[in-house]
């Protein structure tokens, strides 16, 4: 029965998590006029993405002319806005093999306006870029965004006039240095009328579209967006964690320019099918039409809500928020995190009290459980990096742009390999480190650290994690002796992580606080229903928590790996601990089978990562770096 509960709850969580990653179906030409249709938008994508159209090319002029005509047909009264290319853009274009002089050393935006009933009201800006990378048709990046805006404008007009004006800007030279957005927000007469921005982007050729960035002080923006997203096909995919992470990364989009001016707004992108990013394969036929439906429907609803709002969002306080599998969005204040942590502590204390009376649990064993969780984090970081580098170098060490894009094509192999490696670490914990012996585990650690340093470059984090993992492996007293000790120790560890995150970055603390609270609630319920954790009835709360919480974490893990997993695969170690928060009490007693499964997962993980080198061979090194 325990095996059935363990495997069954984990399988259901995985199935739900994968189901929630699916895009909505593309709606056809028979879709009501006021709704978004990806099939209608694809007519524009096929024209835009017929061939590569970087700045200065003949196809760039072709796309510009086509869009000018499409905007005129929609009553947007378009005009061209030209501005000088930045030195950085000129250098990048030359590095691609282009000729800045062919573009007159200028970037040219296409600007149109759908007038509102109140010309004095702050306007809403819909924005996407129409230039492509040098050798890519750009059907996704950003032909899909441009086409989605044209379809959204058509639907907005079908819904009737709004008080606010809608400004549409198709920017130029985004791929070179965000020049078009800089030119608009520094030189165009409409720049000071913009009260909110909706931007569409892509880094791949499909998958769910994430709202991954807002203006600063986003409480009012999130309130409006969460209400509008309920009407979007497929719901919303967004969280304050992704916004916090992206704001602290060096990447930028056109939205970066408006955000830095203090303008409210939302930024959408899909990042699935990474092999199509800046690739010759980014054609209209390869584009995921469900992704177009998802990004376009969200953009339509967000823009329409802004146009018809009594007042546009203004910068104020930030909030914590996240969607649950695209079904609904949870929003709360930053300070509520402290209350949720206090509730977690109270529930954990109650569970410990019940376990102590039923099983003789000691504080020392809870401490050992915390150390076991730390072992999973450290071991996970080491093994994740060791397996990941078998698929190729970190992108920072890619000797050419072609190698960087090859790594993107290998990303699905990397994800599968790293995911199996994390499964191996989790199963090793559940089997008990004594099932393998300290010498064998120490050998795995040393080999993984050596591989990560030799193939991936010197990484102090991996070295430090290796030292911690090795120390806890050889210290036999660090392993918990009871199920309750292991379970409550993990909850206590995540509670500590939650405290640190709440103090340093409360927008991101939800990744620890929400799962920790759910696990503590399940532990308290188990203490009430059967603290010995022996009968199936007593384990029902853990089963429910595994399904509900595990599905969310597994779903989020895919999103996180797509975003940062190429260079930071160890982030999945934290996700592994979060899944174990729910799974530990369900672990079967058959340690031998768990150990064998762990070994099989690790061997398969290494095989998949190595296979990536042959499935997607690297080109000959070039002189330039990633672009």
């Amino acid at each position: 029965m325990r095996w059935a509960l363990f495997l069954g709850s984990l399988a259901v969580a995985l199935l739900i998590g994968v189901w929630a990653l699916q895009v909505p179906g593309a709606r056809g030409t028979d879709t009501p006029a006021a709704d978004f249709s990806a099939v209608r938008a694809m007519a524009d994508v096929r024209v835009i993405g017929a061939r590569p159209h970087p700045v200065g090319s003949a196809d760039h002029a072709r796309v510009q002319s086509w869009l000018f005509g499409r905007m005129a047909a929609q009553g947007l009264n378009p005009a061209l806005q030209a501005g000088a290319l930045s030195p950085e853009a000129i250098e990048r274009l030359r590095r691609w093999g282009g000729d800045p002089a062919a573009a007159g050393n200028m970037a040219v935006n296409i600007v149109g306006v759908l007038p509102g009933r109140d010309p004095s009201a702050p306007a809403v800006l819909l924005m996407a870029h129409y230039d492509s990378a040098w050798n890519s048709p750009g059907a996704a990046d950003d032909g899909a965004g441009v086409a989605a805006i044209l379809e959204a404008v058509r639907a907005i007009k079908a819904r009737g006039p709004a008080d606010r004006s809608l400004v549409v800007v198709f920017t130029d030279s985004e791929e070179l240095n965000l020049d078009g957005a800089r030119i608009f927000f520094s030189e165009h007469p409409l720049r000071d009328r913009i009260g909110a921005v909706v931007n569409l982007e892509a880094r791949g050729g499909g998958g769910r579209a994430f709202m991954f960035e807002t203006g600063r002080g986003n409480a009012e923006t999130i309130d409006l967006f969460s209400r509008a997203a309920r009407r979007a096909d497929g719901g919303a995919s967004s969280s304050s964690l992704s916004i916090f992470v992206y704001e602290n990364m060096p990447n930028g989009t056109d939205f970066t320019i408006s955000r830095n001016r203090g303008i409210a707004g939302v930024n959408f992108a899909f990042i699935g099918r990474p092999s199509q990013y800046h690739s010759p394969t980014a054609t209209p036929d390869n584009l995921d039409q469900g992704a177009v439906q998802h990004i376009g429907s969200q953009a339509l609803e967000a823009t329409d809500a802004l146009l018809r709002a009594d007042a546009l969002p203004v910068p104020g306080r930030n909030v914590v928020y996240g969607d649950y599998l695209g079904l609904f969005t949870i929003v709360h204040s930053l300070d509520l995190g402290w209350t949720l942590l206090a509730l977690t502590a109270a529930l954990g204390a109650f569970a410990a009290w019940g376990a102590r009376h039923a099983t003789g649990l000691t504080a020392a064993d809870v401490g050992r459980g915390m150390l076991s969780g730390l072992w999973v984090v450290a071991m996970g970081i080491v093994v994740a990096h060791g397996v990941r580098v078998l698929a190729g170098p970190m992108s920072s060490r890619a000797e050419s742009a072609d190698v960087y894009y090859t790594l993107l094509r290998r990303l699905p192999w990397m994800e599968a390999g790293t995911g199996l490696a994390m499964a191996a670490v989790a199963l090793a914990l559940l089997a008990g480190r004594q099932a393998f012996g300290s010498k064998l585990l120490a050998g795995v650690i040393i080999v993984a650290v050596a591989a990560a340093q030799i193939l991936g470059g010197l990484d102090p984090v991996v070295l430090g994690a290796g030292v911690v993992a090795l120390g806890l492996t050889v210290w036999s007293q660090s392993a918990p002796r009871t199920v309750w000790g292991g379970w409550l120790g993990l909850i206590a560890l995540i509670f500590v992580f939650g405290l640190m995150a709440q103090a340093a970055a409360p927008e991101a603390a939800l990744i620890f606080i929400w799962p920790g609270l759910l696990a503590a609630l399940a532990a308290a319920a188990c203490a009430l229903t059967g603290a010995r954790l022996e009968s199936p009835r007593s384990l029902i709360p853990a089963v429910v928590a595994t399904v509900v919480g595990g599905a969310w974490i597994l779903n989020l893990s895919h999103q996180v790996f797509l975003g940062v997993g190429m260079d930071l695969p160890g982030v999945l170690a934290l996700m592994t601990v979060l899944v174990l928060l729910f799974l530990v009490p369900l672990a079967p007693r058959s340690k031998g089978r768990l150990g064998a499964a762990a070994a099989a997962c690790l061997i398969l993980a290494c095989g998949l990562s190595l296979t990536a080198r042959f499935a997607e061979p690297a080109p000959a090194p070039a002189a330039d770096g990633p672009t």
Side-chain angles (χ1 to χ4, degrees):
M1 176 57 74
R2 210 173 190 93
W3 271 106
L5 293 176
F6 176 75
L7 294 176
S9 59
L10 192 56
V12 171
L14 181 60
L15 287 173
I16 293 174
V18 171
W19 165 79
L21 289 171
Q22 306 311 300
V23 296
R27 300 178 67 176
T29 55
D30 58 346
T31 301
D35 294 334
F36 187 92
S37 163
V39 174
R40 287 193 289 247
M42 285 301 298
D44 288 311
V45 172
R46 290 189 177 91
V47 175
I48 298 166
R51 292 177 294 278
H53 45 280
V55 173
S57 66
D59 273 289
H60 181 273
R62 172 187 63 84
V63 171
Q64 182 188 103
S65 177
W66 168 264
L67 293 176
F68 192 94
R70 288 285 287 117
M71 293 172 73
Q74 289 195 337
L76 293 173
N77 191 26
L80 301 180
Q81 180 206 9
L85 286 173
S86 64
E88 294 83 359
I90 290 173
E91 173 59 28
R92 173 166 285 194
L93 187 57
R94 284 174 176 159
R95 197 163 65 240
W96 278 352
D99 180 11
N105 290 311
M106 304 291 281
V108 182
N109 296 328
I110 315 171
V111 183
V113 179
L114 183 65
R117 289 179 296 216
D118 182 2
S120 66
V124 177
L125 173 65
L126 256 177
M127 181 166 61
H129 69 90
Y130 71 94
D131 63 309
S132 77
W134 182 253
N135 64 342
S136 174
D141 181 17
D142 198 18
V146 170
I149 286 178
L150 291 171
E151 169 65 4
V153 169
R154 186 208 54 75
I156 288 168
K157 290 179 65 179
R159 295 183 180 189
D163 286 339
R164 300 181 189 283
S165 295
L166 174 64
V167 178
V168 175
V169 178
F170 294 138
T171 62
D172 196 8
S173 186
E174 189 275 348
E175 296 290 3
L176 298 178
N177 195 37
L178 312 182
D179 282 356
R182 287 194 181 94
I183 291 165
F184 177 83
F185 282 105
S186 62
E187 300 177 13
H188 200 280
L190 290 173
R191 68 186 186 277
D192 294 326
R193 283 195 54 200
I194 304 303
V197 176
V198 177
N199 188 62
L200 281 68
E201 259 289 1
R203 197 216 69 179
R208 288 181 66 83
F210 304 108
M211 196 284 282
F212 66 98
E213 188 177 21
T214 68
R216 297 185 175 95
N218 60 17
E220 293 186 10
T221 300
I222 295 304
D223 179 62
L224 182 144
F225 170 73
S226 61
R227 287 184 280 112
R230 297 171 194 160
R231 300 187 293 272
D233 296 321
S237 290
S238 184
S239 77
S240 53
L241 173 66
S242 64
I243 288 175
F244 172 81
V245 170
Y246 188 80
E247 188 164 343
N248 286 277
M249 292 176 67
N251 311 61
T253 68
D254 283 339
F255 188 85
T256 305
I257 308 301
S258 62
R259 186 198 68 194
N260 289 343
R261 286 175 60 93
I263 302 174
V266 289
N267 198 3
F268 296 97
F270 49 80
I271 60 175
R273 302 188 182 183
S275 63
Q276 294 184 38
Y277 182 52
H278 289 183
S279 166
T281 64
T283 64
D285 288 342
N286 289 335
L287 179 62
D288 180 358
Q289 293 191 30
V292 178
Q293 184 67 42
H294 196 219
I295 196 171
S297 183
Q298 288 186 86
L300 166 62
E301 299 303 339
T303 304
D304 190 66
L306 288 165
L307 286 171
R308 303 177 196 280
D310 293 334
L312 292 178
V314 296
R317 58 188 177 85
N318 281 334
V319 290
V320 176
Y321 76 96
D323 75 283
Y324 182 76
L325 305 178
L327 299 175
F328 56 86
T329 302
I330 301 171
V331 185
H332 64 73
S333 68
L334 301 183
D335 290 340
L336 185 63
W338 295 113
T339 303
L340 298 180
L341 285 166
L343 183 57
T344 300
L347 289 168
F350 176 82
W353 174 81
R356 181 173 178 274
H357 280 74
T359 67
L361 174 71
T362 64
D365 206 39
V366 174
R368 286 189 285 268
M370 293 181 71
L371 291 177
S372 72
L374 192 60
W375 179 84
V376 171
V377 174
M379 188 74 170
I381 291 173
V382 168
V383 173
H385 281 263
V387 169
R388 153 65 188 89
V389 295
L390 296 179
M394 298 300 178
S395 66
S396 59
R397 299 188 72 200
E399 61 270 24
S400 72
D402 287 339
V403 171
Y404 173 74
Y405 295 127
T406 298
L407 292 174
L408 282 175
R409 293 195 294 273
R410 293 177 183 174
L411 196 58
W413 295 92
M414 296 178 194
E415 182 177 9
T418 307
L420 280 169
M422 294 304 93
V425 173
L427 289 168
L429 175 82
L430 297 176
R433 281 168 274 170
Q434 65 274 15
F436 302 92
S438 59
K439 291 183 179 179
L440 177 60
L441 289 176
V444 170
I445 295 167
I446 292 170
V447 170
V449 170
Q453 303 307 303
I454 294 170
L455 300 177
L458 182 63
D459 190 329
V461 173
V462 176
L463 282 173
V467 172
V468 172
L470 196 59
L472 291 174
T473 295
V474 299
W475 182 26
S476 61
Q477 298 302 311
S478 66
R481 297 167 187 172
T482 65
V483 174
W484 272 113
W487 191 12
L488 290 177
L490 284 180
I491 293 173
L493 180 66
I494 295 303
F495 174 78
V496 172
F497 287 169
L499 285 173
M500 293 189 294
Q502 179 67 21
E507 296 92 342
L510 64 90
I511 190 62
F512 301 120
I513 293 177
W514 291 5
L517 177 59
L518 178 60
L521 179 62
C526 284
L528 281 175
T529 56
R532 293 188 178 277
L533 301 178
E534 294 175 348
S535 68
R537 176 176 170 271
S538 69
L539 296 173
I540 288 176
V543 170
V544 173
T546 299
V547 171
V548 174
W552 185 65
I553 295 299
L554 291 169
N555 178 277
L556 189 61
S557 296
H558 173 69
Q559 302 172 22
V560 168
F561 196 89
L562 282 179
V564 301
M566 182 190 294
D567 282 332
L568 299 173
V571 71
L572 289 194
L574 284 175
M575 298 300 188
T576 302
V577 174
L578 294 175
V579 174
L580 286 169
L581 272 179
F582 317 117
L583 204 57
V584 161
L586 302 177
R589 308 302 190 197
S590 178
K591 305 302 183 183
R593 292 182 182 179
L594 289 171
C601 283
L602 185 57
I603 293 170
L604 185 56
C606 294
L608 285 173
S609 280
L610 283 170
T611 300
R613 291 179 177 263
F614 302 96
E616 296 290 348
D624 60 326
T627 59

